Amino acid sequence: MSGPDLRDAPRILTEVLRQAISLLQSEMRLARAEIGENLSRAGSGLVFYALALVLTIAGLNALATAGIAWLETHGLTLVEAAGGMGGGLLVLALICVLIARKRINARVLTPRRSLNNVKRDLETLQEVRRG
């Protein structure tokens, strides 16, 4: 039984490097696709932040109107109505911020599948190196 032919070593090394590069490129394509999906999800979170901003401005405007009406008339009816409307809009804005916060965070944007694949690839390479 003859041992391995050392003349094949450059060819084998070249093949291993080619496959490693191909694997790395595939993992990069997967990571890009996953990040794209995550950014799309984050985009909807940004829409909720924008909505919260608009509702906050409207709520503050209503509260300011309530303050002006109170100072002008000292009548609680108009103030209560404007205050209730402003408070309600601010509650809606808070809900939008909480929804947006769930959709936009580092944990959601992390390409977990790609990282797990790379981790698995590294473990496989370490096993091959040991063996």
Side-chain angles (χ1 to χ4, degrees):
M1 179 177 209
S2 65
D5 189 358
L6 292 180
R7 291 176 287 182
D8 289 336
R11 181 185 56 78
I12 293 170
L13 182 59
T14 301
E15 180 63 22
V16 167
L17 288 174
R18 188 183 63 73
Q19 288 183 3
I21 289 170
S22 175
L23 178 63
L24 183 60
Q25 288 171 341
S26 295
E27 296 296 348
M28 292 302 292
R29 281 193 297 272
L30 177 62
R32 268 193 297 251
E34 194 174 352
I35 288 171
E37 289 173 12
N38 293 343
L39 288 176
S40 174
R41 210 171 313 131
S44 67
L46 290 174
V47 168
F48 277 102
Y49 271 128
L51 182 58
L53 178 62
V54 168
L55 292 173
T56 300
I57 291 170
L60 292 173
N61 189 20
L63 289 173
T65 302
I68 292 169
W70 182 79
L71 288 172
E72 184 178 348
T73 64
H74 294 287
L76 297 178
T77 312
L78 182 59
V79 172
E80 289 173 353
M85 177 62 75
L89 289 173
L90 289 175
V91 167
L92 287 174
L94 177 63
I95 291 169
C96 289
V97 166
L98 294 175
I99 291 171
R101 195 168 153 204
K102 277 187 177 179
R103 292 179 182 239
I104 300 176
N105 64 42
R107 186 175 46 87
V108 169
L109 296 175
T110 302
R112 280 185 236 118
R113 288 177 292 181
S114 299
L115 291 175
N116 286 338
N117 286 346
V118 169
K119 185 178 174 183
R120 213 173 331 117
D121 295 341
L122 289 173
E123 288 170 357
T124 302
L125 287 174
Q126 286 177 349
E127 287 176 21
V128 168
R129 197 180 101 216
R130 284 186 223 132

